[in-house]
């Protein structure tokens, strides 16, 4: 399973100028190849393969300025972009409903381009001395304990706003020691939201539901919007680049990444503690492109990277042997879990109005037909479980019928940020 180790290189770092120069050369080589590709495409000559591009550009000055393997990977990036375009165009002609518009041909790169050093472009001798050293570069990153050279896949230099990110990609073995500790009958479901980033429920009603606090992300995005608007007002016509704005964007992105990683880690630990084997996650296709929740709520919701959160959580759960299923969640917030309403699937052309037994009151409560209250996000989570994994959640029907609702108020958790003081870092 691939694993990534990240190193953020800010302006002023000894490797920053090197990263800036090599990513600029990568952009020039990519755009030179792109000019050839686009001319051939628009004039009907056809596009080139990676091997053809390599033959055409071997004498290019930007090609020679890079290690041969790295230059070939830049040309491969260009060839892969056109292959992906043709595949997308074929899929669009087959079924256009999966797209928001007709795919466009690959274009030029305006700013810096990423750089890849594959396994052959990393020094084996330096690795044996304890450092990862990409070919012809000043970069020297200490090797992670236990990492073998054969496990190393590639090193990437990725341009980001206000910084560069050096990623070391390597393969790790599957962690099968968790498989035997899982409970085959215990399933979970997750409802994604805004103030409540993730509401987690179980098919065992004796286990208290969990809510991952999403307000820190919401607060960070609101502060980010205010700061960017403030300093963008100092620019001519509100346009252009600013080092201050770049720093604000970088800090916000780093905070969001850190929060998502810590949140998903806490969720995985909770699941392993209980022995969960199957997790259902609700997510509607294009759910952020058709929002009509008001200007402020739309801004708050679209700036939370829910897809990235689901992706992180999915690979971390699968790594420890937990099955994950991402499913559509239409009407899961409206149908009554306590009354065991039938949950239909949204059809764009269907004008039938569905009627449900209960209703949502205020922000956090849902009232059933008999007046029983349940947390709105908790009942949505149970409905996601019923809709995605009926075999795992049908056991709750008899419990609700015989004893009524046993769901207690959910337990809220917030990822904790451990701050390391300066004295402890320098060894005092």
């Amino acid at each position: 399973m691939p694993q990534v180790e990240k190193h953020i290189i800010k302006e002023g770092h000894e490797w920053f100028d090197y990263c800036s120069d090599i990513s600029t050369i990568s952009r020039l080589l990519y755009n030179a190849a792109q000019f050839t590709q686009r001319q051939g495409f628009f004039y009907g000559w056809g596009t080139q393969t990676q091997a053809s591009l390599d033959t055409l550009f071997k004498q290019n000055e930007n090609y020679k300025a890079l290690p041969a393997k790295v230059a070939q990977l830049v040309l491969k990036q260009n060839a892969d972009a056109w292959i992906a375009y043709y595949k997308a165009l074929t899929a669009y002609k087959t079924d256009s409903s999966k797209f928001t518009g007709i795919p466009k041909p690959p274009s030029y790169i305006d700013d810096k381009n990423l750089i890849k050093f594959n396994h052959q472009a990393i020094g084996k001798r330096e690795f044996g001395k304890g450092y990862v050293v990409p070919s012809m570069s000043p970069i020297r990153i200490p090797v992670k304990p236990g990492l073998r050279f054969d496990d190393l896949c590639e090193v990437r230099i990725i341009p980001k706003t206000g910084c560069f990110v050096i990623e070391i990609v390597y393969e790790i073995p599957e962690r099968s020691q968790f498989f035997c500790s899982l409970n085959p009958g215990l399933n979970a479901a997750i409802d994604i939201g805004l103030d409540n980033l993730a509401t987690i429920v179980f098919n065992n009603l004796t286990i208290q539901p969990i809510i991952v606090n999403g307000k820190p992300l919401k607060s960070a995005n609101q502060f980010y919007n205010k700061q960017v608007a403030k300093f963008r007002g100092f620019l001519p016509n509100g346009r252009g680049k600013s080092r201050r704005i770049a720093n604000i964007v970088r800090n916000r992105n780093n905070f969001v990444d850190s929060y998502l990683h810590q949140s998903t880690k806490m969720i995985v630990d909770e699941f392993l503690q209980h022995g969960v084997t199957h997790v259902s996650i609700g997510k509607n296709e294009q759910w952020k492109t058709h929002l009509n929740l008001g200007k402020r709520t739309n801004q708050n919701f679209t700036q939370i990277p829910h897809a990235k959160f689901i992706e992180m959580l999915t690979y971390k759960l699968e790594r420890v042997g937990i099955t994950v299923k991402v499913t559509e969640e239409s009407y899961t917030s409206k149908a009554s879990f306590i009354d065991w309403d039938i949950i239909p699937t949204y059809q764009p052309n269907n004008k039938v109005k569905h009627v449900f037994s209960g209703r949502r009151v205020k922000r956090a409560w849902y009232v059933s037909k008999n007046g029983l209250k349940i947390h709105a996000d908790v009942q949505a989570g149970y409905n996601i479980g019923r809709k995605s994994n009926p075999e795992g959640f049908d056991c709750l029907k008899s419990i609700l019928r015989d004893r009524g609702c046993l769901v207690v108020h959910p337990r809220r958790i917030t990822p904790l940020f451990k701050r390391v003081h300066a004295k402890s870092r320098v060894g005092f």
Side-chain angles (χ1 to χ4, degrees), residues 232-252:
R232 189 163 287 166
F234 298 144
L235 299 175
N237 299 323
R239 299 180 179 180
K241 295 183 178 180
S242 164
R243 183 182 300 179
R244 185 66 175 267
I245 294 177
N247 291 337
I248 294 171
V249 174
R250 185 194 67 241
N251 292 335
R252 178 262 177 188

Side-chain angles (χ1 to χ4, degrees), residues 95-121:
D95 184 9
S96 61
S97 64
K98 299 179 181 179
F99 297 80
T100 57
I102 186 170
K104 296 182 179 179
S107 187
Y108 299 99
I109 294 178
D110 295 330
D111 206 346
K112 297 173 173 55
N113 186 34
L114 66 86
I115 284 286
K116 292 183 179 180
F117 297 86
N118 63 5
H119 189 270
Q120 297 174 324

Side-chain angles (χ1 to χ4, degrees), residues 181 183 186 202 207 210 269-276 411:
S181 62
N183 181 359
L186 186 59
F202 305 89
I207 302 177
I210 301 170
D269 290 343
E270 290 282 347
F271 286 166
L272 289 177
Q273 180 181 351
H274 293 294
V276 175
R411 171 169 58 96

